[in-house]
Amino acid sequence: MIVKEHPVGTELVMSNTIGEDEIDFSCDPYIGLEFFNADDALKFYISYGNRMGFKVRIGQLYRSRTNGSVSSRRFVCSKEGHQLSSRTGCPAFIRVQLNDSGKWVVDHFHKDHNHNLENESESFAPTLQPKASAAIESSTEVTRKPRKKMLEVGNGEPISPFGVINFKRMRKEELEVQARIEPYVGQEFSTPNEAYQFYHAHAAYMGFGIRVGQLFRSKNDGSITSRRFVCSKEGFQHPSRVGCKAYLRIKNQPSGKWVVDRLENDHNHDLGLEKERKTKSLPASNILTEEVNTELVNGDIFRIDNYPVLRGARQNHIRSDWYNMLLEYFQSRQAEDTGFFYAMEVDNGNCMSIFWADGRSRYSCSQFGDVLVVDTSYRKSVYMVPFATFVGVNHHKQPVLLGCALIADESEESFTWLFQTWVRAMSGRQPLSVIADQDVSIQRAIAKVFPVTNHRFSLWQINAKEQELAGLMGNGFTKDYEKCVYQSQTVDEFDASWNALLVKYGLKDNAWLKEMYEKRASWVPFYLKGTFSAGIPMKESMESFFGGSLNGQTPLIEFIPRYERGLERRREEERKEDFNTSNFQTFLQTKEPVEEQCRRLYTLAVFKVFQKELLQCFSYLGFAIYERGSLSRYLVRKCGNDDMVKHVVTFNASNLDISCSCQMFEYEGVLCRHVLRVFQILEVREVPSRYILHRWTRNAEDGVFPDIGSWSSSQELKSLMLWSLRETASKYIDAGASSIEKYKLAYEILREGGRKLCRHREVLYATCELWRQACVCLFAWRNHFPLSSLLTLESTNESLIV
């Protein structure tokens, strides 16, 4: 059976009559039932729900891996999930899949509900009314109140409450006129949807497609202040995209109008061979809506950014079926890994954000948790799951996983809970620096949970704004901007260059540049050099830990397998680098003793960094510019060019303290070429131990802690020792469980270790007893007591000596 397709430009509206002349709703769902499109499948299932006595919501969608198009959809009972008190986790649903012929076929159908159905007489059936398009293109459910009253506009024509242009009411000639109008800066619209519909019509006429691009929110109340609509070929995330710069941006005005304030009409690709003279039906008429009424059991439900939440409560971007799947997975992992940790945020009885970290991640944090990268780049595009990672840098300069999370919403409360949970899972570890997005909610959460930690902004948000400015100002702006940001060596130099840039390009009133100047200590390289960041580059973003295999578009059914494969791939790379460091050595390229010393101590990756600096130092000159007592200063510059940047190296001979104005050691933890040049001048043959960071050495994971004084508390040090012992023991356990012979050997090793610990404790007790008796004798001698009397007294009062 094929259900008849409804006319273009119609939308399902709930009422008390059923349009049987347009769609056949006579049969029950069954596997193999075909529809012309997903819209009809939704209407059919709603009609079925009305007859049976339940309501329907749009559930999960799945996209093609090849071109990103929607390949299947789920329509579920309104009581599916547990995110609201009115929901019961009902399993009833229908799923339709797009087949090769272009039809949508029912491939899954669950009929039974776990709640009482409504009386059939109380239910109501659907009818069709004209509107711009159906809401099926939206990735989340949209059900509307019956007989929604249409608003009136100046000419008396009713439009939707969200300002959507009703193309169904326009004559063909009117559509032609709308499509021919060229957009221009200053053009006004009543709503973002109206602007989107206009630009869509114009794009169809000109022969290109559009997508919804970036949006910007107010720092004060989080409301949307501007939106970008871009050419469908913008960016490079898909082979069909060519980085087209064409876009239209609208900005909200105090009057409530939306005005075009930025516009780029030039494309870097050919437009359609034949311009479309007819405006097509548009997807998701309310795709830009911030608040949409819904018809669910609880009358206080409303919608923000297409996510249903209780009025006055926080929104939740995590679908209910993710909780069940992840909790089951966490419990199975905890049975295998005693160090596995997970936690769930609960707000007013609702499940919210989730955090988890396995034992290996927690141990890695004890060694490499000094720098923390919070990757929330899932927000770059439309996402199915808000998946974020906590990443560090190991002793091979590889990314290492320190935790994962699903973030329910982007509020300060959510990020505060997330960071506090990470600290609890990592035994109170406080990183030296955190690299995270610059949203106000994240900034406040970091300031609250990590009060002494430096917050460095992620680059992807900054780069997006920089590219936007570059597109408006031209290549000259990009050159001057990068020179100011990346080449300034002093505060005065940066301030002078920044002010000159604003004046030259007339950007003194640019709000974004004003904000970034105020926050310059969190993103300008000159200000960040004094904080340890494990050498993470300042000009480019750190690679995603899971790459493209696991991101915000990963469907539920593939999430855990991809997560485990991606994690195992990274850890296999770490094991491979461990093997290479243990079994291979880099060739020495000088006769300097410091090179041999550092080759012996550093991992291969870190030694290559040191070796590069050592080789470069031979092309530098050093001049003593100050000497008094043990303190001296040297001016170091490159040979052959007096105009090159000069650096000052300060050396204290009494304690071998040394520092350089380039601050490479402070930032990366490896001595720079300028310091090494001064070492050559002063004939220092060995790098002082304080300048060989333990985290970069071969034995960084071997349980040797030379820098114990750097730990903030005894509890933190105890946790480190605990994780180190547990990790080492787990290696023996894994190896010993492979065969009976290896089991016996591993068991004997552990027993011998236990006996040595017992002997050590007995020796310790004996030593304490000797010290006690010596104290008794000393006390008797100094106070002229007979020793025999004192020993008798002590036996009756053990607290005397104490």
Side-chain angles (χ1 to χ4, degrees), residues 245-289:
K245 300 293 186 182
Y247 75 96
L248 176 146
R249 194 180 85 165
I250 54 174
K251 191 170 185 179
N252 195 12
Q253 304 298 309
S255 63
K257 297 284 187 181
W258 292 78
V259 177
V260 177
D261 69 332
R262 302 282 173 82
L263 178 65
E264 176 58 60
N265 286 321
D266 295 334
H267 298 258
N268 66 352
H269 57 91
D270 294 333
L271 302 184
L273 296 179
E274 296 183 5
K275 296 178 182 180
E276 294 190 51
R277 302 301 182 186
K278 296 181 181 180
T279 304
K280 297 180 179 180
S281 61
L282 303 180
S285 60
N286 287 324
I287 140 185
L288 307 179
T289 303

Side-chain angles (χ1 to χ4, degrees), residues 687-704:
V687 176
S689 60
R690 69 171 67 91
Y691 297 111
I692 303 287
L693 295 190
H694 177 65
R695 65 147 11 258
W696 291 136
T697 61
R698 294 167 176 260
N699 62 351
E701 293 185 308
D702 290 346
V704 181

Side-chain angles (χ1 to χ4, degrees), residues 44-307:
F44 174 83
Y45 195 51
I46 289 178
S47 172
Y48 171 73
N50 289 332
R51 288 190 286 111
M52 300 302 296
F54 67 93
K55 295 182 178 65
V56 174
R57 290 188 293 112
I58 297 176
Q60 198 170 14
L61 63 81
Y62 301 89
R63 294 187 180 274
S64 166
R65 295 184 185 178
T66 56
N67 58 15
S69 61
V70 177
S71 59
S72 65
R73 285 188 173 276
R74 286 176 87 244
F75 307 122
V76 301
C77 174
S78 62
K79 293 184 179 292
E80 180 262 356
H82 300 277
Q83 291 159 300
L84 303 173
S85 58
S86 60
R87 298 187 185 176
T88 61
C90 180
F93 77 97
I94 185 176
R95 193 179 82 169
V96 291
Q97 186 162 359
L98 183 64
N99 62 17
D100 296 337
S101 65
K103 301 290 194 307
W104 290 80
V105 182
V106 176
D107 65 339
H108 283 79
F109 172 50
H110 191 99
K111 182 177 181 179
D112 297 332
H113 298 256
N114 65 355
H115 57 91
N116 295 327
L117 302 182
E118 297 176 4
N119 192 324
E120 186 173 353
S121 62
E122 296 177 0
S123 63
F124 42 84
T127 186
L128 297 174
Q129 285 187 0
K131 203 167 184 208
S133 67
I136 186 63
E137 286 294 319
S138 175
S139 63
T140 52
E141 64 277 7
V142 177
T143 55
R144 295 174 173 79
K145 289 191 175 182
R147 299 179 295 281
K148 178 79 179 178
K149 183 178 180 180
M150 306 296 279
L151 300 183
E152 298 294 327
V153 292
N155 60 3
E157 286 292 324
I159 62 171
S160 96
F162 310 106
V164 179
I165 299 176
N166 194 330
F167 287 98
K168 183 69 176 181
R169 292 182 175 272
M170 290 185 181
R171 296 191 304 273
K172 179 179 179 181
E173 294 80 6
E174 292 174 331
L175 285 174
E176 190 84 11
V177 171
Q178 282 284 346
R180 286 177 183 272
I181 296 175
E182 288 281 344
Y184 57 89
V185 174
Q187 188 175 7
E188 289 189 351
F189 299 96
S190 299
T191 66
N193 288 294
E194 185 178 336
Y196 175 78
Q197 297 276 359
F198 165 79
Y199 197 46
H200 186 285
H202 171 72
Y205 177 79
M206 296 301 296
F208 66 94
I210 67 169
R211 291 184 290 110
V212 178
Q214 198 171 15
L215 62 82
F216 302 90
R217 294 184 179 275
S218 166
K219 296 180 183 178
N220 299 324
D221 57 7
S223 61
I224 295 176
T225 57
S226 63
R227 280 188 177 276
R228 292 176 83 242
F229 307 124
V230 301
C231 174
S232 60
K233 292 184 180 292
E234 180 262 356
F236 299 95
Q237 294 147 308
H238 190 272
S240 63
R241 299 183 185 177
V242 295
C244 181
K245 300 293 186 182
Y247 75 96
L248 176 146
R249 194 180 85 165
I250 54 174
K251 191 170 185 179
N252 195 12
Q253 304 298 309
S255 63
K257 297 284 187 181
W258 292 78
V259 177
V260 177
D261 69 332
R262 302 282 173 82
L263 178 65
E264 176 58 60
N265 286 321
D266 295 334
H267 298 258
N268 66 352
H269 57 91
D270 294 333
L271 302 184
L273 296 179
E274 296 183 5
K275 296 178 182 180
E276 294 190 51
R277 302 301 182 186
K278 296 181 181 180
T279 304
K280 297 180 179 180
S281 61
L282 303 180
S285 60
N286 287 324
I287 140 185
L288 307 179
T289 303
E290 275 209 271
E291 185 170 324
V292 181
N293 292 306
T294 61
E295 185 187 17
L296 295 174
V297 178
N298 191 325
D300 289 332
I301 301 297
F302 74 114
R303 186 183 291 275
I304 295 180
D305 285 339
N306 290 334
Y307 292 99

